[in-house]
């Protein structure tokens, strides 16, 4: 697809690209010893959650080019990925079948109500079936059931996602010593590692779920062969608060204070844990003094509704 066709697609969806890059000075002890900036991907679009657009961009362009009119994807009842994807499908006149973990038919979340309104077909599955979402035999059955459809993995994390995420780095106005991102399914971190061949930044992921070892494997699996040996990245596992979407009063208070100090909206599932980690790592002087640090705000604020 030509550059002008891509711009047309972004305009049709109402995306504002590039997203702003903003200096913040939070009231944290030690913060003045560093330069801290935020890449505001939460501002790309009011519905298409920041990093989800980055991951979906080339998947959707590819679908448009091939005339694909039916997509299938997976998620939980609050999934930012399905929310972003369903909105794109609605705007682009593509059918979406959403495979949902659990049966919420009598108890729809705000996210599910939105995607139903945008025309998504919902397929409730139990946990055991959902566990099989990446198994070749299960995917084969889906392909049989929906022969015209393209299957997108949970979270949109796949090799095709990396180039879109890498564009976050090429948009930056300056070089950073560290780029920090929350980590869920690893696609965003993998894309930032993929990008940093053009820069000297170290990439630090903050795990938002319990997954020491497992998350590193996911990220390595997503990287192209020649990039699997890269060593300028790590995942910190100290700030998941007990697991995915788990939180306590301390995290809730932190999110409220941080938003008040900086004017940045945050939620406790992803960005809240990342900024909390950043505060503590800065207090511990985990970065060399004077480092320039960029935190990627990945969006996801619709999750605040539930
Ligand atoms: C999905 C999501 C993430 C996690 O990204 P991965 O590529 O799955 O690691 C981070 N932040 C927000 C807001 C998200 O919606």
């Amino acid at each position: 697809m030509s550059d002008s066709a891509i711009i047309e697609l972004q305009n049709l969806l109402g995306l504002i690209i590039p997203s702003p890059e903003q200096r913040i000075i939070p009231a944290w002890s030690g913060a003045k010893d560093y330069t801290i900036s935020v890449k505001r991907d939460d501002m790309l679009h009011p519905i298409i959650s920041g990093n989800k657009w980055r991951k979906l961009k080339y998947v959707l362009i590819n679908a448009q080019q091939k005339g694909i009119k039916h997509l299938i994807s997976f998620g939980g009842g609050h999934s930012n990925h399905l929310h972003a994807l369903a909105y794109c499908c609605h705007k682009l006149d593509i059918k979406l079948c959403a495979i949902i973990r659990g049966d919420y038919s009598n108890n729809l979340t705000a996210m599910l109500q939105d995607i139903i309104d945008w025309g998504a077909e919902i397929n409730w599955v139990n946990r055991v079936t959902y566990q099989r979402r990446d198994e070749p035999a299960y995917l084969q059955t889906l392909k049989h059931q929906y022969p015209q459809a393209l299957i997108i993995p949970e979270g949109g994390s796949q090799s095709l996602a990396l180039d879109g995420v890498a564009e976050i780095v090429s948009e930056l106005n300056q070089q950073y010593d560290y780029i920090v991102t929350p980590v869920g399914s690893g696609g965003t971190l993998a894309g930032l590692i993929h990008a940093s061949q053009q820069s000297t930044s170290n990439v630090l992921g903050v795990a938002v779920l319990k997954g020491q070892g497992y998350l590193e494997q996911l990220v390595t699996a997503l990287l192209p062969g020649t990039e699997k040996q890269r060593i300028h990245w790590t995942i910190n596992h100290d700030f998941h608060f007990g697991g995915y979407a788990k939180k306590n009063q301390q995290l809730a208070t932190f999110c409220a204070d941080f938003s008040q100090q900086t004017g940045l909206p945050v939620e406790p599932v992803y960005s809240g844990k990342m900024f909390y980690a950043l505060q503590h790592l800065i207090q511990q002087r985990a970065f060399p003094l004077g480092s320039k640090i960029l935190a990627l705000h990945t969006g996801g604020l619709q999750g605040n509704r539930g």
Side-chain angles (χ1 to χ4, degrees), residues 42 49-52 55 78-81 154-157 161 165 181-191 206 208-209 215 218-219 222 244 267 269-271 296-302:
D42 58 308
S49 184
N51 68 333
K52 298 308 186 290
K55 293 197 280 185
H78 301 274
S79 166
N80 290 326
H81 161 66
E154 180 185 63
S157 289
V165 174
T181 184
V183 181
S185 61
T188 305
L189 179 60
V206 175
V208 303
L209 49 92
L215 289 176
L218 283 184
V219 171
L222 286 168
Y244 182 72
E267 44 68 45
V269 181
Y270 295 105
S271 51
L296 174 63
H297 194 319
T298 45
L301 299 157
Q302 71 91 18

